[in-house]
Amino acid sequence: MSDLFKPFILGSMEIRNRFMRSATTSYWSDERGIVRPEIIRLYGNLSKGGVGLIIKGHTYVMNSGKAHVGMAGISSEAHVNKLGELTDVVHMYGSKIITQLNHGGYKSIVDRAGPSEYREKGWEGRALTGDEIHGIVDAFGDAAERTMDAGFDGVMIHGAHGYLVSQFLSGLTNGRTDEYGGSPRNRMRFLIEVYDEIRDRVGPSFPVLVKMNCDDFSPDGFTVEDSVKVALAMAKRGMDLIEISGGGMGQVRELRLTRGKSDDPRFSEANFAGHAEKIHKAISPTPMGLVGGIRTRRCMEALLERGITEMISMSRPFIREPELVRSLETSQLEATCISCNECSRQGSSGKMMLMCYQN
């Protein structure tokens, strides 16, 4: 049997295979941030389809950090009941599920506030005070406790894609001159404090993961060299898994398409395989998940064999084919997703319900 379909131990959790559904937000929560029945069914279908580990689309840890209309919340006890229904459905069909905690920072639709004052290409925001930073750290801890109450199997910190943690990590968006800015060590202080707070709340055996960029793909932002330093620091601190993605504030499309690639043709479809290999060498034996462009079983197996990643993480292919894992295990050789990106549209056939435009 291919290693793709063998169980994998992650901390105290056994996952039935090496497939990970990368956190994919929908716009299908009500105005209070409570998930609706339709999205609960979607997660149930992913579990029925054989996905080993599901990362739920990001949830805001405090109301001021809400990034978009329809985003799910975990900022109050009012959110826990429906999230518990979601985890029950997922567990019924054998998958593990982890919630992703997030704060929008400059991308908030409530209060655009980040590490420092920022104005660039349509984005602008004020600087958080020290007391506000400490309050956000506490909010991540509160949300992690609610994660356990709702029956999730672990928790993930969203440290990628230009949201608040990513903004602190980037020299482009973090212009602070205090202990949270300047050197890479200072810029990662916020992430370390968030992790430590969560770990104190959930204990040593509850899996804690982070999603982080391998590169912001910005001329002046977070680089793969920065990523190696941050990933190593988090691995030493006890992070259970690091999922590698890419793209943040100020990203340039041409850099995103080229800078993270591997020179090995076996990994040509994996957008960040080159960067991921450097990071994995630094953090091993801490396991890694890798997302971005992976479509063929041949590439998936090669990534595992080369030791570039332990988990194959995908998003768009599971929107088109929730049953993809079962299909790959029997006879299918690759995902049928053509990466048209129509599923990223906010509309009835796009982000609203995570539907494939081609179906």
Side-chain angles (χ1 to χ4, degrees), residues 189-206:
R189 187 182 301 275
F190 177 66
L191 171 57
I192 289 172
E193 290 184 357
V194 167
Y195 170 77
D196 287 350
E197 183 69 24
I198 289 173
R199 182 59 79 194
D200 285 346
R201 304 287 193 102
V202 303
S205 61
F206 194 69

Side-chain angles (χ1 to χ4, degrees), residues 222-234:
F222 191 69
T223 66
V224 67
E225 290 78 19
D226 294 327
S227 187
V228 167
K229 293 175 183 176
V230 174
L232 179 58
M234 300 316 298

